Amino acid sequence: MGTLHFDSSDLGVTEDFLSRHYARMRIGNGTPESSRARIRREAMPGVSVDELDLDFDMRYAVTPLQKICLCVVHEGTIQDHSFGDVVEDAFGPGDVVSFAPPELPYEGRICGARYNITMLDPGLLSQVAATAPGAAPGPVRLTGHRPVSDAAALHLKRTIVHVRDHVLADPEIASEPLVTSTAAQHLAASVLAAFPNTALIRPTGTDRHDSHSATLRRAVAHIEANAQDPLTVAEIAAASHVTVRALQYAFRRHLDATPLEYLRRVRLAHAHDELRDADPADATVTAIAARWGFHHSGRFAALYRAAYGRTPLRTLTGT
């Protein structure tokens, strides 16, 4: 985890800062009316979320970052953006895009823009996506740089804002491993839902055959024994000796839930036990919820009330 702040009106200092912390940049010639740059970065394992506000024009040329790099434009424009041999595009306010595949360089021009850059480890996509049985191993890839729909783009933007404002903005919450791993998976799932990609969704015949009750029992046992640790769907599937899709199909078939929904139920039960047994003088609902991966207090309270018919605070205080 980490936070980075930058605020300067010296174009030389800004150019050096951008080149050191992002990629090679060249601020345009001439004297802009304003030369101020404001940058804030929040980061957790596998994910960083940056807000940049630049009052001037500049060009950028980025060597392969080996990361998924998403951009949400708030104001201004990003022009002449290109990667690969044929892709060239321009982005304006409201646009959300994937800048380039992790292994490709890209370049373009920023024109007095305020925008968000969210970067994540490509391996997160494979953790939440199914892969075909017997296929050659390899990462899940995005196959387009524009979202599949306006609704998918809006959902992704809301997810980025949620991670930025409700996870990374609170150091106490961001220090909880279950919170950060869950938030990273949620972001990766939103990316896969937003952009065309190589992940397969429908279970194959083999997956359906493997989705029997024994698979479910192995998965449930693994979840219940390791609920205190960061868990991914891929790790649960590996412990159950089946593909991710077979695991998902087994849970849907037998429990009408996803593996992560069941994991959330188990963690909610652990939070309930801890609230019931804790001394209210030494514990808080927020701390116990975060310890079990629930970083949004309102959502935790709603889930808890639905499951136990009372608020978490009443359980903690014994009232």
Side-chain angles (χ1 to χ4, degrees):
M1 278 77 72
T3 301
L4 177 69
H5 295 274
F6 179 81
D7 190 337
S8 177
S9 295
D10 185 314
L11 293 178
V13 171
T14 298
E15 186 176 87
D16 177 69
F17 176 86
L18 292 170
S19 297
R20 284 187 293 108
H21 289 276
Y22 293 90
R24 181 167 54 86
M25 307 282 183
R26 187 174 68 255
I27 297 177
N29 296 327
T31 304
E33 293 183 5
S34 174
S35 57
R36 189 177 183 187
R38 286 146 291 186
I39 301 168
R40 178 183 177 89
R41 167 180 290 178
E42 305 283 359
M44 63 185 185
V47 175
S48 63
V49 180
D50 297 14
E51 294 292 337
L52 299 94
D53 189 352
L54 309 180
D55 289 346
F56 47 84
D57 296 356
M58 71 174 190
R59 298 200 66 88
Y60 56 88
V62 181
T63 56
L65 294 176
Q66 306 304 325
K67 292 182 179 293
I68 305 294
C69 184
L70 310 175
C71 177
V72 180
V73 182
H74 306 312
E75 297 176 2
T77 58
I78 297 178
Q79 301 175 1
D80 307 325
H81 180 85
S82 62
F83 63 89
D85 297 327
V86 296
V87 176
E88 184 169 323
D89 207 344
F91 318 124
D95 283 343
V96 53
V97 296
S98 173
F99 261 171
E103 72 280 2
L104 289 183
Y106 57 91
E107 60 183 16
R109 183 161 56 100
I110 296 170
C111 301
R114 185 170 64 86
Y115 58 102
N116 169 284
I117 292 291
T118 299
M119 291 187 283
L120 62 153
D121 185 342
L124 288 170
L125 301 187
S126 298
Q127 289 180 6
V128 299
T131 55
V140 174
R141 294 172 51 86
L142 303 184
T143 56
H145 72 288
R146 290 275 190 173
V148 296
S149 68
D150 291 342
L154 179 60
H155 177 75
L156 177 57
K157 285 190 282 188
R158 287 173 173 170
T159 301
I160 291 171
V161 169
H162 176 78
V163 171
R164 182 194 67 195
D165 293 349
H166 296 288
V167 179
L168 297 178
D170 187 333
E172 183 177 352
I173 296 296
S175 67
E176 293 291 345
L178 292 188
V179 169
T180 55
S181 65
T182 301
Q185 291 180 60
H186 183 201
L187 177 60
S190 297
V191 171
L192 289 172
F195 295 99
N197 60 79
T198 59
L200 299 177
I201 298 174
R202 295 183 180 277
T204 66
T206 302
D207 294 330
R208 294 178 186 275
H209 179 268
D210 288 343
S211 63
H212 44 65
S213 57
T215 293
L216 183 69
R217 287 196 298 271
R218 288 194 296 268
V220 166
H222 185 76
I223 288 172
E224 293 182 348
N226 299 277
Q228 73 280 6
D229 299 323
L231 283 178
T232 67
V233 175
E235 290 167 347
I236 300 169
S240 306
H241 312 299
V242 295
T243 68
V244 171
R245 287 197 310 282
L247 178 77
Q248 293 169 332
Y249 192 64
F251 271 83
R252 182 61 64 190
R253 179 180 178 184
H254 297 288
L255 295 180
D256 193 27
T258 68
L260 292 183
E261 286 171 346
Y262 184 81
L263 173 60
R264 185 177 66 187
R265 293 179 196 172
V266 172
R267 287 174 173 167
L268 187 65
H270 281 291
H272 167 70
D273 292 343
E274 192 168 337
L275 286 166
R276 183 194 60 208
D277 298 336
D279 183 343
D282 300 323
T284 66
V285 171
T286 299
I288 291 173
R291 189 152 47 248
W292 289 102
F294 300 96
H295 54 274
H296 191 289
S297 58
R299 187 169 295 115
F300 173 71
L303 290 169
Y304 191 90
R305 181 186 287 274
Y308 298 103
R310 64 194 315 193
T311 66
L313 183 60
R314 287 188 62 188
T315 299
L316 177 62
T317 58
T319 58

